[in-house]
């Protein structure tokens, strides 16, 4: 629970126009930003991110099958350093552990290999929200041209010391702040060998029934230059899957598609929230939503979370330069090839980290997304009746209904309706897409929940 302020709400610009003809309940005023979130964004340091990336690259290789005994070279040294850093900067607030499992021989593992994730947990401070988790990850393993080569130098600066450094920076900065829900900062191994580290954590979470309300992976977020040297440091790609590619559909999924909600999966709702929050707190920086799971021929650590049924997203730089990832270090025709720290732009990584941190902070301060949201369809009717289950958080202020045209990607209208669990709008459910958000007394807003039909 945060300190109590008068109810204030951020409204989308279009909402004012749409709402003008209706009487608004408890007319909200607009906080340009929450002081805590703005402080976190300011505290993210490109200098520390740069130092972390250079330190990680200096372990020579962080290949998953590289040596683990040395304290200066290989993946063992790297993970012990990451853990020690998180323990140091967490100052007792972060619970830092190794999440380890022995993976058998596999397509990309020639011997049974210990796969170790470094996991730093910042427990939520509100009992009603503590069991709601948000996970942010980067992978600290690296590779060269041959994915089985465990000895050659593989600095992996962009892929993915950049994501690892962003996650470590967020953990260190955010540990100094308090959140209602629990944050998990994770640097994982064996992404390059088959996503084994992230898969292990996601499968355990699913088996334990953990409420992971959102997950972001940061993978290849280091370069603001494309392969022709053109710079674009003002945007990041956010990959967001729509309907999951499951072999057998569930009744909920079938209803989602039947009612035209294919762009309103939990992952797309999370993506909208990240875009809106990120762009609000990092002015001049754009979050480009991409409506697919990932790039062609590529995969990432959000995939096992999606497969476990969680909302999960991937951040990646706008245009990858393939000369500086997955490459043996060499010079060809005067061109330096390899994933070296010199090709990473720490100011850019910091911008992506700020977007992540603003979104995570906003999610972990806000109530959970409303549950059991229904649009009532008992009669033929040109109005819309929405119902939902009451949220459990003690600092809940009420709910906000949002809507958009069926062809629009982002919310266009919003109405705060107070602390009720049922509301009727004089708008046709047939013509727009609705969502319901929960709002706390400080104006922190949850992602929207898509209403399934009910009677
Ligand atoms: Zn990667």
């Amino acid at each position: 629970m945060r300190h109590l302020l008068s109810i204030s709400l951020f409204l989308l610009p279009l909402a004012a126009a749409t709402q003008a003809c209706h009487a608004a309940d408890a007319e909200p005023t607009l906080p340009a930003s929450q002081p805590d979130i703005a402080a976190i964004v300011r505290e993210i340091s490109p200098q520390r991110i740069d130092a972390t990336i250079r330190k990680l690259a200096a372990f020579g290789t962080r290949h998953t099958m590289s040596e683990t005994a040395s304290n200066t070279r290989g993946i063992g040294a790297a993970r012990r350093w990451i853990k020690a850093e998180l323990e140091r900067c967490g100052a007792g607030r972060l619970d830092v552990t190794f999440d380890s499992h022995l993976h058998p021989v596999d397509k990309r593992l020639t011997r049974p290999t210990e796969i170790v994730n470094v996991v730093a947990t910042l427990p939520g401070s509100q009992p009603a929200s503590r069991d709601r988790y948000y996970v942010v990850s980067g992978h600290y393993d690296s590779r060269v041209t041959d994915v089985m080569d465990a000895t050659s130098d593989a600095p992996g600066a962009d892929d993915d010391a950049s994501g690892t450094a962003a996650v470590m920076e967020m953990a260190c900065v955010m540990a100094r702040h308090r959140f209602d829900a629990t944050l998990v900062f994770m640097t994982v191994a064996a992404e390059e060998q088959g996503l084994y580290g992230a898969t292990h954590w996601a499968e355990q979470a699913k088996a334990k029934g953990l409420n992971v309300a959102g997950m972001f992976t940061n993978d290849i977020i280091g370069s603001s230059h494309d392969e022709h040297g053109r710079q674009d440091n003002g945007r990041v790609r956010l990959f967001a899957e729509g309907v999951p590619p499951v072999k057998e559909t569930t009744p909920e999924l079938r209803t989602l598609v039947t009612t035209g909600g294919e762009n309103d999966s939990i992952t797309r709702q999370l993506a909208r929230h990240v875009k809106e929050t990120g762009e609000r707190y990092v002015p001049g920086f754009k979050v480009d939503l991409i409506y697919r799971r990932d790039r062609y021929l590529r995969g990432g650590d959000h995939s096992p979370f999606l497969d476990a049924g969680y909302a999960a997203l991937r951040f990646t730089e706008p245009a990858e330069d393939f000369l500086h990832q997955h490459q043996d270090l060499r010079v060809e025709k005067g061109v330096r090839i390899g994933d070296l720290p010199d090709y990473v732009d720490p100011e850019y990584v910091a911008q992506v980290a700020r977007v992540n941190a603003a979104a995570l902070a906003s999610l972990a301060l806000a109530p959970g997304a409303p549950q059991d949201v229904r649009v009532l369809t008992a009669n033929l009717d040109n109005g819309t009746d929405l119902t939902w289950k009451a949220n459990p958080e003690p600092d809940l202020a009420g709910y906000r209904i949002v809507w958009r045209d069926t062809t629009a990607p982002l919310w266009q209208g919003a109405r705060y309706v107070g602390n009720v669990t049922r509301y009727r709008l004089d708008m046709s459910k047939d013509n727009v897409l609705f969502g319901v958000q929960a709002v706390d007394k400080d104006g922190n807003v949850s992602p929207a929940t898509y209403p399934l039909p009910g009677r």
Side-chain angles (χ1 to χ4, degrees):
M1 176 135 69
R2 317 270 318 131
H3 51 276
L4 299 183
L5 295 175
S6 62
I7 293 165
S8 51
L9 276 183
F10 177 78
L11 281 176
L12 303 161
L14 271 167
T18 322
Q19 203 177 244
C21 56
H22 303 284
D25 308 44
E27 186 60 46
T29 53
L30 188 153
S33 69
Q34 297 292 9
D36 262 0
I37 303 181
I40 288 163
V41 167
R42 271 197 313 275
E43 289 163 20
I44 298 281
S45 156
Q47 290 76 27
R48 279 193 302 257
I49 286 172
D50 187 36
T52 302
I53 291 170
R54 289 180 185 279
K55 176 71 185 178
L56 288 167
F59 288 106
T61 175
R62 304 185 308 280
H63 190 280
T64 296
M65 288 186 291
S66 61
E67 68 165 293
T68 54
S70 164
N71 272 327
T72 53
R73 186 178 177 86
I75 194 164
R79 66 185 171 234
R80 288 190 293 276
W81 177 78
I82 294 170
K83 183 164 184 272
E85 277 299 293
L86 290 168
E87 282 165 347
R88 185 186 58 74
C89 80
R93 300 287 317 281
L94 290 175
D95 173 22
V96 189
T97 58
F98 280 148
D99 165 46
S100 166
H101 79 286
L102 190 69
H103 203 93
V105 171
D106 213 324
K107 237 177 20 214
R108 291 181 167 191
L109 289 178
T110 53
R111 55 175 170 77
T113 306
E114 197 187 8
I115 311 291
V116 184
N117 302 322
V118 189
V119 182
T121 305
L122 182 62
S125 58
Q126 186 183 77
S129 297
R130 194 172 287 153
D131 294 335
R132 178 160 43 93
Y133 292 79
Y134 297 97
V135 178
V136 62
S137 89
H139 71 86
Y140 71 93
D141 62 309
S142 66
R143 62 170 285 187
V144 287
T145 307
D146 174 4
V147 70
M148 306 306 282
D149 179 348
T151 54
S152 297
D153 275 355
D158 193 1
D159 187 8
D160 183 36
S162 66
T164 302
V167 169
M168 291 173 69
E169 178 66 10
M170 282 186 254
C172 296
V173 166
M174 294 176 82
R176 297 196 287 268
H177 297 262
R178 287 168 76 82
F179 303 94
D180 293 349
T182 295
L183 291 168
V184 178
F185 304 92
M186 198 157 59
T187 72
V188 305
E191 193 274 349
E192 304 291 4
Q193 308 313 114
L195 316 176
Y196 299 142
T199 300
H200 182 252
W201 200 94
E203 286 179 350
Q204 299 281 102
K206 188 184 179 182
K208 286 186 270 190
L210 224 58
N211 174 18
V212 178
M215 185 275 181
F216 319 151
T217 186
N218 286 270
D219 195 355
I220 313 180
I221 57 161
S223 173
S224 56
H225 288 86
D226 71 11
E227 54 198 334
H228 308 292
R230 283 184 298 245
Q231 195 186 30
D232 184 357
N233 59 6
R235 60 183 64 238
V236 66
R237 288 184 287 173
L238 185 61
F239 288 87
E241 183 172 88
V243 178
V246 288
K247 285 201 186 80
E248 281 180 38
T249 186
T250 61
E252 290 77 21
L253 208 53
R254 188 183 292 277
T255 309
L256 184 81
V257 175
T258 307
T259 56
E262 61 269 14
N263 194 8
D264 288 66
S265 64
I266 51 173
T267 293
R268 290 276 166 84
Q269 303 288 19
L270 182 68
R272 270 180 204 107
H273 185 92
V274 171
K275 178 178 171 68
E276 194 214 305
T277 315
E279 292 182 355
R280 178 147 42 108
Y281 284 94
V282 189
F285 196 78
K286 255 196 100 220
V287 177
D288 290 330
L289 294 183
I290 302 202
Y291 286 167
R292 50 168 58 107
R293 175 178 280 220
D294 211 325
R295 301 102 74 229
Y296 284 105
L297 299 175
R298 309 297 290 271
D301 290 323
H302 57 317
S303 282
F305 284 81
L306 287 166
D307 294 339
Y310 296 127
L313 303 165
R314 175 189 183 122
F315 284 99
T316 297
E317 64 198 31
E320 291 162 82
D321 181 345
F322 302 110
L323 294 181
H324 301 300
Q325 47 170 278
H326 297 195
Q327 294 281 358
D328 293 333
L329 299 185
R330 62 194 192 277
V331 176
E332 262 178 31
K333 294 179 186 147
V335 178
R336 226 167 136 212
I337 296 170
D339 193 352
L340 293 156
D342 288 353
Y343 301 105
V344 168
D345 174 353
E347 295 283 346
Y348 177 76
V349 181
Q351 289 290 73
V352 179
R354 289 176 185 123
V355 167
N356 273 262
L360 283 172
S362 143
L363 289 163
L365 288 169
Q371 302 293 304
D372 291 335
V373 181
R374 302 280 161 193
V375 55
L376 302 186
T377 56
N379 305 305
L380 289 174
D381 173 6
N382 283 318
T384 300
D385 290 289
L386 293 166
T387 67
W388 53 90
K389 202 173 112 187
N391 269 54
E393 296 86 355
D395 58 341
L396 184 95
Y399 301 88
R400 188 164 82 145
I401 295 174
V402 287
W403 59 85
R404 64 184 205 279
D405 291 339
T406 60
T407 53
L410 303 172
W411 300 119
Q412 295 171 311
R415 188 183 307 171
Y416 182 72
V417 299
N419 194 359
V420 296
T421 55
R422 183 184 184 105
Y423 197 81
R424 180 172 171 82
L425 290 120
D426 188 19
M427 294 171 68
S428 173
K429 56 191 165 294
D430 299 323
N431 305 340
V432 294
L433 291 160
F434 285 107
V436 181
Q437 302 171 324
V439 184
D440 78 2
K441 288 171 177 158
D442 293 320
N444 296 302
V445 182
S446 78
T449 303
Y450 180 73
L452 293 176
R455 281 167 185 269

